[in-house]
């Protein structure tokens, strides 16, 4: 029994040592409304291809872990209701039961590592939620970054999170947090959270070299590349702050907890910004897909040179 089923294109790329970029599916099922989620999923795959890499969108469908989806599978996920949101805790259980589920950042990293894919593009990672000192709500994404050797390109941590605490946990987990092309830590919908990122790199080659260096030294865990949203698409922090405060208050008032928190907040912020948050989200995911393809390309050149 094989652990996963690669699409023909992904299998071919992996066999030839060509660059491959992993993509998650929770952003499709729980992060964006239909039909924009389907359009974005297709567009992001096209962005990866146009930058010289093969996209591998991950999902569990009827008990099979797919690494690379057909268009029909993308459509099924985009339209499906009641698809499970799979993290480290539940992916194996879903497969064992023959279920269907979308992969979060943590689950996508696990699948990527099994398939031999080193680079992954998403929108934003999960992190330490505001009020975590009371709720203990800390995303499994952070611990995954601490143990699974995949470089994750995101637009920073979502502004709905407690970003200083998220950075503290990443530091504790030994995760390099690399701002791309600027000193400041980006905050998903905005280009800066107003504090410096721990590290800064200005080109894909250096990020790939750092990934390869960690692997060579046997340091477990991945890297987080924080790629700022393109300036023309950003929503400034001052505009977002009261909206995030309201969405967070609404979540508490409605008793939303656990896995429901992130999808609820994204949907509420979409409503409160009259769709602007989605436009920004699309721009940043596409931007991350392009950078991830460049990093994967640099890495495949390095690995080729090493062979
Ligand atoms: N970023 C988005 N939309 C999303 C997510 C991130 O723009 O839906 C998802 C990712 O899959 C991430 C997950 O791994 O939210 C984090 O969920 P939690 O906070 O429950 O760990
Ligand atoms: Mn959580």
């Amino acid at each position: 029994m094989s652990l996963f089923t690669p699409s023909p294109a992904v299998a071919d790329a992996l066999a030839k040592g060509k660059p491959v970029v992993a993509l998650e599916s929770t952003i499709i099922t729980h992060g964006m409304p239909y039909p924009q989620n389907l359009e974005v999923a297709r567009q992001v795959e096209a962005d990866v291809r146009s930058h010289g890499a093969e996209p591998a969108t991950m999902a569990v469908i009827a008990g099979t872990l797919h690494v690379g989806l057909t268009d029909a599978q993308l459509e099924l996920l985009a339209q499906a209701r009641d698809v499970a949101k799979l993290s480290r805790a539940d992916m194996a259980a879903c497969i064992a039961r023959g279920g269907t589920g979308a992969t979060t950042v943590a689950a996508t990293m696990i699948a990527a590592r099994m398939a031999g894919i080193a680079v992954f593009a998403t929108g934003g990672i999960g992190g330490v939620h505001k009020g975590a000192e009371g709720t203990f709500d800390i995303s499994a994404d952070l611990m995954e970054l601490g143990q699974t050797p995949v470089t994750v390109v995101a637009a920073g941590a979502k502004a709905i999170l407690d970003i200083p605490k998220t950075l503290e946990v990443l530091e504790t987990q030994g995760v390099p947090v690399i701002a791309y092309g600027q000193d400041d830590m980006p905050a998903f919908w905005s280009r800066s959270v107003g504090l410096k990122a721990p590290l800064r790199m200005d080109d894909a080659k250096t990020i790939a070299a750092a990934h390869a260096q960690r692997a060579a030294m046997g340091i477990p865990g991945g890297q987080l590349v924080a790629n700022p949203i393109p300036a023309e698409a950003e929503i400034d922090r001052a505009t977002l702050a009261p909206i995030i405060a309201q969405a967070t208050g609404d979540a508490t008032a409605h008793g939303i907890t656990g896995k429901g928190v992130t999808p609820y907040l994204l949907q509420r912020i979409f409503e409160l910004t009259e769709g602007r948050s989605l436009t920004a989200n699309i721009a940043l995911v596409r931007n991350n897909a392009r950078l991830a393809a460049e990093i994967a390309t640099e890495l495949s050149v390095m690995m080729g040179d090493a062979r």
Side-chain angles (χ1 to χ4, degrees), residues 23-272:
L23 300 169
E24 62 154 307
S25 46
T26 295
I27 192 168
I28 304 173
T29 56
H30 293 72
M32 293 183 184
Y34 181 81
Q36 287 96 334
N37 59 351
L38 180 59
E39 287 160 26
V40 175
R42 287 178 177 148
Q43 183 65 60
V44 167
E45 290 200 347
D47 290 329
V48 170
R49 282 199 188 94
S50 72
H51 283 71
E54 184 59 35
T57 305
M58 313 286 188
V60 176
I61 299 174
T64 297
L65 173 57
H66 289 273
V67 176
L69 301 179
T70 64
D71 196 62
Q73 289 169 327
L74 273 185
E75 182 140 14
L76 177 140
L77 283 177
Q79 295 208 37
R81 304 192 177 264
D82 304 325
V83 171
K85 173 180 161 186
L86 306 177
S87 189
R88 162 171 281 259
D90 20 45
M91 183 159 59
C94 180
I95 294 168
R97 287 172 164 155
T100 294
T103 55
T104 60
V105 168
T108 304
M109 290 179 74
I110 293 168
R113 196 249 312 134
M114 285 195 300
I117 300 170
V119 184
F120 164 22
T122 183
I125 61 158
V128 181
H129 278 265
K130 292 184 203 282
E133 57 276 28
T135 62
F136 279 43
D137 188 350
I138 301 175
S139 176
D141 293 353
L142 301 183
M143 278 49 87
E144 204 59 54
L145 278 159
Q147 61 184 307
T148 301
V150 174
T151 288
V152 179
V153 183
K158 271 175 271 178
I160 56 179
L161 302 168
D162 186 321
I163 296 179
K165 287 194 183 74
T166 300
L167 288 173
E168 289 292 349
V169 172
L170 286 166
E171 187 190 353
T172 303
Q173 293 290 323
V175 179
V177 178
I178 304 161
Y180 181 67
Q182 67 179 31
D183 291 330
D184 276 15
M185 183 68 191
F188 202 68
W189 297 291
S190 320
R191 282 176 67 82
S192 172
V193 292
L195 44 106
K196 266 183 126 181
L199 294 165
R200 169 185 175 155
M201 290 183 187
D202 290 339
D203 57 273
K205 192 172 184 175
T206 311
I207 297 168
H211 179 106
Q213 184 69 31
R214 282 176 71 90
M217 294 173 76
I219 302 173
Q223 308 190 108
L224 177 62
V225 178
N227 187 25
I229 183 171
E232 63 278 11
E234 86 164 323
I235 309 177
D236 68 82
R237 266 193 297 152
T239 307
L240 272 175
I243 290 171
I244 290 168
Q246 183 176 344
T248 309
D250 291 351
T252 309
H254 286 88
I256 312 288
T257 55
K259 281 174 178 295
V261 173
T262 297
Y264 177 88
L265 290 175
L266 291 174
Q267 173 61 26
R268 196 73 191 102
I269 291 165
F270 171 73
E271 291 161 10
L272 293 170

